[in-house]
Amino acid sequence: MDEVFLAVILLVDATIRVATPLVLAAFAALYGERAGVVDIGLEGKMLAGAFFAAAVASSTGNPWLGLLAAVAASVALSLVHGFACITHNGNQVVSGMAINILVAGLAPTLAYAWFHQGGQTPLLPASARLPQIHLPGVEALSPIPIVGPIYREIFDDANVLIWLTVLVVVATQWVLTRTRFGLRLRAVGESPAAVDTAGISVTKLRYQAVIITGVLTGVAGAYLSTAHGAGFVRDMTAGKGYLALAALIFGKWRPWPTLFACLLFAFTDAVQVRLQGVPLPVVGVIPVQFIQMLPYVLTVLLLAGFVGKAVAPKASGIPYVKER
Amino acid sequence: MPDTPTTAPTPPALETRGVNKWFGANHANRDVSLAVPKGTIHGVIGENGAGKSTIMSIVYGYLPADSGAILVDGRPVAVKSPRDALAAGVGMVHQHFMLVDPFTVLENVLLGAEGGVTLAAGMERARAELVRLARDYGLEVDLDRPVGELPVGAQQRVEILKALYRGADILILDEPTGVLTPQETDHLFRILRALREQGKTIVIITHKLREIMELTDNVTVMRRGEVVANVRTAETSKEQLAELMVGRKVLLRVEKAPARPGPVVLEVSGLTVRDGSGVERVKGVGFSVRAGEIVGIAGVSGNGQSELLEALAGMRPVAGGSVRLRGEELADRPGLFNAKALRGLRVGHVPEDRQKVGLITSFEARENAILGHHDDQAYNGRVLMDRAAVLSRCEAEMEAYDVRPRDARLRAANFSGGNQQKIVLAREIERNPDLLLVGQPTRGVDIGAIEFIHKRLVRLRDEGKAILLVSVELDEIVSLSDRILVMFDGRLMGEVAPQDADERRMGLMMAGVEAAT
Ligand SMILES: Nc1ncnc2c1ncn2[C@@H]1O[C@H](COP(=O)(O)OP(=O)(O)OP(=O)(O)O)[C@@H](O)[C@H]1O
Ligand SMILES: [Mg+2]
């Protein structure tokens, strides 16, 4: 009994750790898309964030400077995206894709040039990684059944970025529904002409949105290389940017359902890791490749069948040109 | 500067001086100077493309002027964006509503005037203020409903509320009655008069001379970008205004000989149609249209006419009943009963919504001129399209229908509403259909063009074609139709001969009160 319980708790813990970058990326995209800017370049921005976080943390030994560098790099890419799509009414998918391809090539190249380790950054020591937060009273609570293990395994020693992500989720919900910025953001994704005629700059609003997208993807990248992992590895985002977009659609562009979708994807991923090499009843040991497919198969199934009609913000993906 | 008809002791509430605006080579506003006295309702009329919307968009800061000045209460103001206009007390209700559909009425009003970083306090204030405005001016709307769910009349009230909440003293309305039912129009006019009583100044653009005569104090007439006259409404007449607008005498009635109906072309019986959400909108309708006659379907919008027309045009599946074209059953044959096949069966369709259904507004006029006919031999070589043939077809149609500007390469979005409508009409009529389905043929169209379109439809009838006309304009139905059917709540209330169609009787039938005897 106890062992099963502990296994479940560990699974939940793993889910949270895997979900964190997904949630950050999905919420990053949420800001953009609610404002009408589709960002398929999450993947590239996250990767850039991961690289710069690891590179700076490795050279300075300071993970916070790494985080800052990650955010700066990702915001810079966001501004490129904004310049192409908002200022010049370019195609948002093309621009996003260009960023993905650019970073996928550039990051390992820079890593190779700077660190000479085959496109990776050196393994980071604990001091150069973002810290975990130790909570008080773990010892005291430990003997208490259920609450004790949950507190110890899930809440204690969670990475600082996990807590930050929780904050982002709650704040997003609040910003979107309760603030002036949120109202305008939602409006500009539905009907930019209405925003324009209300005397608000569509361009400015959309830039603000993509900057937020940049900040959050930067943090997601830093999480991958300096919190969850200990250094940058080529292609370390492994499609998480796309998965985050899928979660956003599955969540119908709303904060709580999007969070739920991310957790679901992360959960299948955590299960997937535990199923590798484990013999199952009837089928026996399933080849690793099939198990690794699980989250993606789930994505396709969910998006194809269970989401119902997902209604995107009406002006999402469409540049705003004054016209009758 | 043209003389101002009313010599007001106070400076005019709104004045433009020598405003010019170019769209490429198109001189849309030429030295436009007009003055609107304070506390009056001011009409602006003119043909399609005369530049009415353009000058008002400039006043509202939505479009930049190339030269000229704008004065509010005698003071020059620099309007670079709608924000500046709003700050100067100018509000505008656009021809196409500027609303966020999923937002509630309250949120729509609040947008841009939130009154703080968070919404809560502003919401309370706005709610109280809107209740007051609703009471004072008869602007009732349910504040907590999403605007997308509201009927157009109510959406328009939301637009007015938005402007008033922002403190507008001058309210510009661009063709506000184009989409309204007669009842909604009356309601709107009551609101506008109440606003005038409170000292607000109102500018209204419309194509309907009856409304100008009924509502306004002064009128400005525009033609081809210029102001051609400023007159006092009390000192003019419909006929004079029409002549000023078009530059020649206009026939305000339709002249037509009695119909000589031939064989039945379209026969519908027991037809039911559901809308996208499964609600039955057409409930067992039956009628027939013969060659050489125009059958008009009258009714307040939203009573199933749109769905009926769409179903007959093959754009919406029928849920039951029978539809026969020249005796051939279509209802259970999806292979024949779709937009493409129907075109082959010589059925033309002028959709009610020209912008969303009739045209691809981001395509050029010439591409729009062959929409749906793009597979025709005439426009295709062995592999590639014959672009020269497409172009010459479009140019010929533009010439015949007097589409302005006469530029087949201009994107459809950049034509004024009336000219867009002519492009669609030309495409459908010039294919010489046996049956023409027409929805709202003259919505937003100027009187010169209305005269033309009406004549064209009558000629098509006289050539022995069958025409089914759906329109919310009662005048149009009565003057064009040979037989009138009145639709209410998805059912036909009965048939009326046009000579018996007086306003009261039709009104009652359209309200579902009385069936034809
Ligand atoms: N964004 C634009 N780009 C290019 N040309 C335009 C644009 N907007 C308007 N025009 C042109 O400017 C002229 C004036 O248009 P405007 O919309 O002011 O006419 P209008 O008087 O409001 O006509 P309507 O009664 O049909 O609404 C037209 O010839 C139109 O084609
Ligand atoms: Mg106009």
Side-chain angles (χ1 to χ4, degrees), chain B residues 180-241:
Chain B
L180 299 187
T181 64
Q183 289 86 337
E184 286 172 326
T185 302
D186 287 345
H187 188 170
L188 173 68
F189 286 2
R190 277 199 300 279
I191 293 166
L192 296 183
R193 290 197 188 98
L195 287 167
R196 175 175 58 186
E197 243 144 64
Q198 302 291 316
K200 308 259 183 205
T201 306
I202 288 156
V203 180
I204 177 170
I205 299 176
T206 177
H207 286 296
K208 298 177 191 165
L209 296 177
R210 187 157 44 88
E211 296 175 352
I212 291 283
M213 301 308 293
E214 187 186 327
L215 185 70
T216 63
D217 300 303
N218 301 297
V219 194
T220 295
V221 186
M222 293 183 73
R223 193 190 323 146
R224 306 201 175 189
E226 283 175 303
V227 173
V228 292
N230 279 297
V231 288
R232 242 188 259 225
T233 312
E235 294 165 4
T236 186
S237 66
K238 276 196 213 176
E239 286 72 21
Q240 192 201 353
L241 288 175

Side-chain angles (χ1 to χ4, degrees), chain B residues 259-273:
Chain B
R260 280 175 287 122
V264 171
V265 175
L266 176 71
E267 176 140 40
V268 175
S269 65
L271 183 68
T272 50
V273 181

Side-chain angles (χ1 to χ4, degrees), chain A residues 324, chain B residues 23 26 28 48-54 95 175 207 414 416-418:
Chain A
R324 301 166 310 158
Chain B
F23 290 110
N26 184 355
N48 292 126
K52 306 178 298 293
S53 297
T54 303
Q95 200 165 350
E175 283 185 43
H207 286 296
N414 291 337
S416 70

